[in-house]
Structure formats: C-alpha cells, structure tokens
Amino acid sequence: MLIEKLEEGANFTNHEKDVARYILENPDKVPGMSSMELAQASFTSKATVVRLCQKLGLAGYQEFRLKLVEEMNQKNRLSQMLKGEPIH
C-alpha cells in the first residue's frame, strides 16, 4: 500500500525521502496541499514531488492525493472497528 511504500523508501533519492518523511509526519495536511505547497513544505521541488508519485506507480500528484485519502480512510475505519475488539 502507499503508506508502506513511503515508509520503506526503496530506491528513493534523498530529496524524495524528504518528501516522504513530510507526508508521513503530516498525513492530514497533505490532501489539502498542491504539489507546489508540498514541495515548499518539504524543501524540495515540484518535480521531485511528481517523480516520487510516479515511483509509487501513480500517474501524478492528483492520483497520489486520492489514493492517500482513500488509504487513510480505510485505516481509520479499521481502527474504529478494532477499537472495541478484545485482544487475545
């Protein structure tokens, strides 16, 4: 999944790792940001953001944002479902 790929950072350049780190530390902010805003926040370039998205197997930043929101929603739903379950 997307978040795991960002955490793994396989074959990422140092600048791409900076972008990935920012995304992982600020997952709630990123969906509302443009690629240029993400680049500025992670002290990289817009091209680096787009290349990272493509390395993740996506067409570009817009698709990345959609997938990130989808994955975050799934993670939140799963957390809510497991919240009331006893741990064995």
Side-chain angles (χ1 to χ4, degrees):
M1 304 233 327
L2 195 59
I3 293 173
E4 282 119 14
K5 287 181 182 179
L6 289 170
E7 289 170 343
E8 186 179 298
N11 301 321
F12 289 0
T13 66
N14 287 334
H15 291 298
E16 291 166 347
K17 287 179 184 178
D18 291 338
V19 176
R21 188 176 316 108
Y22 183 86
I23 294 166
L24 292 170
E25 291 173 358
N26 302 281
D28 296 333
K29 291 182 183 178
V30 175
M33 300 172 87
S34 69
S35 57
M36 181 56 87
E37 290 169 332
L38 177 55
Q40 290 172 341
S42 59
F43 303 102
T44 61
S45 69
K46 183 177 175 180
T48 300
V49 172
V50 173
R51 278 194 304 271
L52 175 61
C53 295
Q54 291 170 340
K55 263 189 188 174
L56 295 169
L58 306 170
Y61 184 67
Q62 292 294 62
E63 185 180 1
F64 169 79
R65 285 190 344 183
L66 292 172
K67 295 278 186 190
L68 181 64
V69 168
E70 181 182 312
E71 196 166 305
M72 287 170 42
N73 287 339
Q74 286 175 352
K75 204 172 193 178
N76 289 338
R77 272 196 304 272
L78 184 60
S79 293
Q80 291 299 323
M81 286 173 41
L82 295 176
K83 194 183 233 181
E85 295 293 318
I87 298 175
H88 298 283

